[in-house]
Amino acid sequence: MTLTKELRIAISGKSGCGNTTVSGLLAQKLGLKLINYTFRQLAQEKGMTLKEVIEAAKNDDSYDKYVDKHQVELALAEPCVLGSRLAIWMLKEADLKVYLYASDDTRAARIFNREGGDLQAIKDFTAMRDREDTGRYKEFYGIDNNDYDFVDIIIDTANYTPDQIVELIIKKLEEKGLVKE
């Protein structure tokens, strides 16, 4: 597979949609750097739990703004796959914008399988996180993360394996003349 230019691909979706998995597989297949800098990485860097970062971000917008600014800086520095909640909105220079969708139940089941715990508690936490994320994105950037009709491709991840999703994205890249076999 040959890239026809220096590519920047933005992949977004809510938690449990497969952003991290698909972004990683796509980056590997295309030989691009993966950028997936999120609250999860920030929490690790700060020695905090994800829940602690989310709680802190409720009262301190510097958490969101740092993550959002930092990931775009990283993405602009070199060809890459940027996988994050806001990648498709924030990386305006992206050559391809992908939105990964999954139902609330599918997402909760995936998070449960990945992290364990209580399924209902995961559903409740995920719903709360979605509401709070949406509110912050609207407040900080005027972005409605439930409006993603402008992207190049929307994929319901419940219907495909991660490898199949990567193939769908590569087909779209081929259609746009951004890669050649």
Side-chain angles (χ1 to χ4, degrees):
M1 178 145 336
T2 307
L3 307 181
T4 61
K5 64 174 286 207
E6 288 194 348
L7 282 182
R8 285 173 181 78
I9 300 167
I11 300 178
S12 292
K14 295 180 180 177
S15 62
C17 283
N19 286 351
T20 303
T21 301
V22 169
S23 296
L25 287 171
L26 183 65
Q28 185 177 30
K29 183 135 187 171
L30 296 175
L32 293 173
K33 179 171 182 159
L34 170 65
I35 298 172
N36 184 7
Y37 190 86
T38 65
F39 271 6
R40 195 173 301 279
Q41 284 73 36
L42 182 62
Q44 289 172 344
E45 288 177 11
K46 289 186 164 287
M48 298 168 72
T49 67
L50 177 59
K51 260 186 178 169
E52 288 171 339
V53 169
I54 291 169
E55 282 300 311
K58 287 180 189 178
N59 302 310
D60 182 351
D61 62 7
S62 69
Y63 286 86
D64 278 283
K65 291 179 179 176
Y66 176 77
V67 167
D68 299 336
K69 181 177 176 251
H70 189 59
Q71 69 185 357
V72 171
E73 288 169 348
L74 292 169
L76 290 175
E78 63 187 300
C80 65
V81 174
L82 173 60
S84 78
R85 302 275 183 273
L86 290 179
I88 61 173
W89 292 275
M90 300 295 282
L91 187 59
K92 303 206 182 314
E93 300 81 357
D95 299 290
L96 186 78
K97 294 180 180 183
V98 179
Y99 189 81
L100 302 179
Y101 170 83
S103 70
D104 293 346
D105 285 341
T106 298
R107 294 168 47 222
R110 287 183 179 156
I111 294 167
F112 174 78
N113 290 336
R114 179 178 71 211
E115 299 174 9
D118 175 80
L119 185 58
Q120 188 57 52
I122 290 169
K123 285 181 181 183
D124 295 344
F125 178 74
T126 302
M128 175 274 301
R129 185 176 176 192
D130 288 348
R131 280 190 309 276
E132 291 180 1
D133 285 350
T134 297
R136 283 195 319 276
Y137 303 154
K138 282 182 181 174
E139 178 186 340
F140 295 162
Y141 308 113
I143 290 171
D144 178 355
N145 69 326
N146 294 306
D147 177 15
Y148 44 83
D149 292 339
F150 61 91
V151 300
D152 298 294
I153 184 171
I154 299 169
I155 302 169
D156 185 340
T157 64
N159 299 324
Y160 304 99
T161 66
D163 287 323
Q164 290 170 324
I165 294 166
V166 167
E167 289 308 313
L168 290 170
I169 296 168
I170 288 173
K171 280 183 189 162
K172 183 55 96 172
L173 287 166
E174 288 171 347
E175 286 172 21
K176 290 186 69 146
L178 297 171
V179 298
K180 295 180 189 173
E181 268 307 318

